[in-house]
Amino acid sequence: MTEPRVITEIDGQIAYVWLNRPDKLNGVDLELIEELIAAAEALKSNRDVRAVVLQGKGRSFCAGLDFGAAFKDKKKVARFFLAGPRLVNKFQKVTTIWRDLPLPVIAVVHGHCYGAGVQLAAGADFRFTTPDATWSILEAKWGLVPDMGGTVPFGDQMKADDVMRLSMTGEQITGTRAVEVGLATEAVDEPIKAALELIEKLVERSPDSVAATKKLLYANRRGSLRAALRLERKLQATMFKSVNTKIAREAATAKQPAAYKPRTFK
């Protein structure tokens, strides 16, 4: 029986999503793309999960696109590449879908983080890495451009000249350097520990507030001022009606931990 390319384990309020091709350094093929998208879509409808940890089995987070495996079926590649009436194609959706989830997503990076792996990590809301992990926007090596949705968060996370340099050269940088340029959130010896410490803080807040804040901040990065203020009003009005807002307010007043209901915001 073929091993799943992606494994999802839910432990309490945390979903652990693993890339599971350790023998290929979690290189991305078409099946892995389909399974990652399916995993994200399943989590979107799970209102009890409060955070997602995205990581790779074995020695690496993700060594990029596995060209040999992915391009065996050229017709399927073409279907994945064409967006048709949709805003994104499947190569892009596998990274952008994590930003669409109404809960925080944290990438935990070790070993190789190349090409598609960098774009997948960039699609998460936070990226904790080991200091010695190797990051590279590797598409330049193959005469390509980054085309899996990563250029949008790259522009949010890094200065224009750093994005240009790393994307044009494909040079390798350490996890420590990835933090310095803004590509990663923090470099620590135990990134999973740092991720869980952040999750502890996030689950102290209303799941509706966290989800709405994520939507608000991403939407307003490229919208007009008028649209940004309109969205603020709309989401705040929604929060006023949320049962979790009432719970948060009562807990804060009583100076007690809050016992939240499942997320209602989507």
Side-chain angles (χ1 to χ4, degrees):
M1 183 175 178
T2 304
E3 280 281 311
R5 297 288 204 268
V6 175
I7 297 173
T8 300
E9 299 172 350
I10 297 179
D11 183 7
Q13 296 179 306
I14 305 174
Y16 297 89
V17 179
W18 299 86
L19 280 65
N20 187 40
R21 295 188 77 209
D23 56 322
K24 300 294 184 180
L25 301 179
N26 296 314
V28 173
D29 62 5
L30 303 186
E31 289 75 16
L32 190 147
I33 288 174
E34 290 182 318
E35 290 185 28
L36 263 182
I37 291 172
E41 289 176 339
L43 290 170
K44 189 172 185 178
S45 61
N46 189 329
R47 294 174 184 259
D48 294 317
V49 171
R50 296 293 311 274
V52 178
V53 177
L54 187 60
Q55 52 197 324
K57 292 280 189 181
R59 296 188 294 115
S60 293
F61 174 69
C62 176
L65 190 67
D66 183 343
F67 282 94
F71 281 79
K72 285 181 179 178
D73 187 341
K74 291 183 172 57
K75 289 184 178 179
K76 190 173 182 179
V77 169
R79 291 196 300 271
F80 271 46
F81 189 76
L82 295 175
R86 299 183 298 275
L87 179 63
V88 297
N89 64 31
K90 282 194 174 182
F91 286 108
Q92 296 166 328
K93 186 175 182 179
V94 74
T95 66
T96 60
I97 195 170
W98 304 99
R99 282 194 161 198
D100 293 334
L101 289 191
L103 66 166
V105 179
I106 304 172
V108 173
V109 176
H110 71 290
H112 305 84
C113 186
Y114 291 166
V118 176
Q119 299 194 63
L120 180 60
D125 305 307
F126 306 94
R127 294 151 301 284
F128 292 98
T129 178
T130 59
D132 61 351
T134 309
W135 294 61
S136 174
I137 305 174
L138 199 61
E139 286 81 3
K141 179 179 178 180
W142 310 108
L144 301 172
V145 300
D147 68 339
M148 294 181 69
T151 54
V152 174
F154 289 165
D156 292 338
Q157 295 156 7
M158 293 186 280
K159 296 185 301 181
D161 51 351
D162 285 327
V163 177
M164 286 281 189
R165 175 173 176 163
L166 295 176
S167 300
M168 289 178 174
T169 66
E171 67 184 79
Q172 297 179 8
I173 60 174
T174 63
T176 299
R177 180 59 180 159
V179 173
E180 291 173 353
V181 299
L183 187 53
T185 305
E186 188 176 346
V188 288
D189 291 332
E190 298 182 69
I192 184 61
K193 181 179 178 181
L196 295 177
E197 288 173 351
L198 174 59
I199 291 172
E200 283 184 9
K201 296 177 181 178
L202 292 169
V203 299
E204 292 176 356
R205 305 305 175 202
S206 162
D208 296 318
S209 172
V210 170
T213 298
K214 175 175 174 174
K215 181 173 183 176
L216 176 64
L217 294 180
Y218 280 141
N220 284 351
R221 285 181 176 175
R222 286 176 174 76
S224 67
L225 176 60
R226 179 174 294 181
L229 297 178
R230 183 169 60 244
L231 182 60
E232 273 190 9
R233 295 193 300 272
K234 177 182 176 181
L235 293 180
Q236 192 70 301
T238 302
M239 290 304 100
F240 285 142
K241 300 173 185 176
S242 167
V243 63
N244 283 312
T245 300
K246 181 180 179 181
I247 292 170
R249 184 171 60 247
E250 291 175 348
T253 300
K255 297 182 179 180
Q256 297 290 331
Y260 293 112
K261 302 290 185 181
R263 172 175 49 82
T264 62
F265 185 85
K266 60 181 180 179

